[in-house]
Amino acid sequence: MKMDNSNCVFCRIIKGEIPSKKVLDSGNFIVIKDINPFTEGHSLVIPKKHYRTLLDIPSSLFGEYLEVTKKATLELIKETSSAGFNLLMSNFEVAQQEVPHAHLHIIPRKKADGKFKFIK
């Protein structure tokens, strides 16, 4: 479901009202660095239109979502000299979605960065 949400932090970032460190910008998605990163390079892939969860994003955009994610992940792995990565997406509050705007976390990983738990 597409919605306009003027109070949404990600919508405000996309409009340029809140500064961010852009990794990549495509037609329908933006990739920015997370302000509270789990690891060096931790970034978010965010639809430019307001969709609450993955279930609301039109299937016609999934190919672009995947391509943008892959391109950004390759750039982040190179930038951080990482050996791997995690992809994480929380949908709905019960699954620890803190911002009600769909977003996918790219978390570059190094052997020495330690383990962390996604779920508290």
Side-chain angles (χ1 to χ4, degrees):
M1 166 173 43
K2 187 178 110 176
M3 304 179 332
D4 284 325
N5 189 337
S6 59
N7 294 323
C8 172
V9 66
F10 291 156
C11 289
R12 293 184 67 209
I13 288 170
I14 291 161
K15 291 177 189 173
E17 296 173 3
I18 297 174
S20 65
K21 289 184 88 177
K22 288 184 187 176
V23 174
L24 190 67
D25 193 340
S26 77
N28 293 298
F29 300 93
I30 189 168
V31 183
I32 61 170
K33 297 285 178 94
D34 193 292
I35 61 168
N36 294 306
F38 284 128
T39 63
E40 178 188 6
H42 177 180
S43 298
L44 307 173
V45 186
I46 307 168
K48 288 183 178 180
K49 292 184 180 174
H50 187 91
Y51 300 107
R52 184 169 179 215
T53 72
L54 179 75
L55 300 175
D56 300 316
I57 300 171
S59 297
S60 61
L61 294 180
F62 284 170
E64 183 182 349
Y65 205 9
L66 181 59
E67 287 303 316
V68 168
T69 300
K70 287 172 59 175
K71 185 175 180 180
T73 299
L74 289 169
E75 287 181 25
L76 292 165
I77 286 173
K78 184 176 178 182
E79 173 189 309
T80 62
S81 301
S82 295
F85 64 95
N86 293 104
L87 294 177
L88 173 69
M89 185 176 213
S90 298
N91 292 278
F92 300 109
E93 189 175 339
V94 70
Q96 296 178 316
Q97 183 180 9
E98 294 179 5
V99 178
H101 184 128
H103 58 286
L104 178 66
H105 295 259
I106 302 171
I107 306 168
R109 301 304 303 270
K110 297 178 183 176
K111 188 172 185 174
D113 69 14
K115 295 187 179 191
F116 61 89
K117 293 183 179 182
F118 294 117
I119 307 294
K120 294 178 185 175

